[in-house]
Amino acid sequence: ADIIVHSWGKTREEAFEQVAVGMFNYMTDVKNIDVHVVVNIEAQGHDLLDLLYHFLDEFLFVFSAEMHISRYVEILEFDDKAFKIKAKGYGEKMNLKKHEQGTEIKAITMHMMKILSPDRVWSEVGEHSRTADESEDSLRRANAGFLHEAFVLLDI
């Protein structure tokens, strides 16, 4: 089975940060995660979609290796020319006595991945101009200043 995590932000960095938090929220309720440990990740890709894939995959790897779950994610450096990210995840080690086990994330996928900026869309079919999206949710987010979005399909 698969799930889609949809995030948005005032910047591309914020949309990426929130899609990572959304992934962790499928694993357990992030409201129950205390901030005791900080993990550092670095990711690199050959384009923007590949960068998002590797960014999430690094956090999934840290979870698999250390059982670290992040309540907050902060991107410290975002190079959209060389496609590199340095980020921190703030959280703690998952403890089943404290954290209710949610959905196991098996893998990040590139299928149906999409990144939206105010004027561009990147997807598995390529990059193109963003056309006006007249949905009520999209208009509400745009009016609140959340012009960047990310969609990621996760294998569960």
Side-chain angles (χ1 to χ4, degrees):
D2 299 319
I3 55 169
I4 293 179
V5 177
H6 175 204
S7 69
W8 50 90
K10 294 182 179 181
T11 64
R12 183 177 299 140
E13 292 88 338
E14 190 175 293
F16 275 42
E17 291 166 349
Q18 292 306 307
V19 82
V21 171
M23 177 181 74
F24 284 114
N25 202 46
Y26 270 97
M27 297 175 180
T28 191
D29 187 345
V30 293
K31 291 181 287 202
N32 296 326
I33 300 171
D34 293 321
V35 177
H36 297 297
V37 178
V38 178
V39 295
N40 295 293
I41 66 105
E42 293 186 21
Q44 185 170 355
H46 65 268
D47 62 21
L48 206 52
L49 292 173
D50 195 50
L51 178 60
L52 178 55
Y53 171 88
H54 287 289
F55 170 69
L56 293 173
D57 198 48
E58 285 297 317
F59 276 111
L60 187 58
F61 175 78
V62 170
F63 171 76
S64 296
E66 302 173 22
M67 296 298 291
H68 177 87
I69 48 177
S70 293
R71 181 176 184 145
Y72 306 106
V73 172
E74 177 185 23
I75 293 179
L76 305 170
E77 296 177 29
F78 191 110
D79 184 336
D80 61 0
K81 303 290 185 257
F83 304 112
K84 294 181 182 181
I85 289 177
K86 289 185 181 180
K88 291 183 181 279
Y90 300 89
E92 63 184 329
K93 185 173 183 173
M94 187 159 184
N95 177 347
L96 293 178
K97 292 179 182 171
K98 177 181 178 182
H99 306 109
E100 184 176 338
Q101 185 173 359
T103 305
E104 177 188 3
I105 307 297
K106 295 178 186 171
I108 314 302
T109 74
M110 298 282 294
H111 180 63
M112 296 176 60
M113 186 180 285
K114 189 166 33 172
I115 300 168
L116 291 81
S117 72
D119 59 347
R120 304 296 301 161
V121 175
W122 293 264
S123 72
E124 60 189 329
V125 296
E127 179 184 352
H128 56 84
S129 295
R130 184 174 184 177
T131 57
D133 182 350
E134 298 302 325
S135 76
E136 186 176 317
D137 285 343
S138 186
L139 289 173
R140 186 171 49 252
R141 284 190 297 275
N143 288 336
F146 299 110
L147 299 172
H148 297 268
E149 299 180 64
F151 296 83
V152 178
L153 187 78
L154 303 174
D155 182 19
I156 59 172

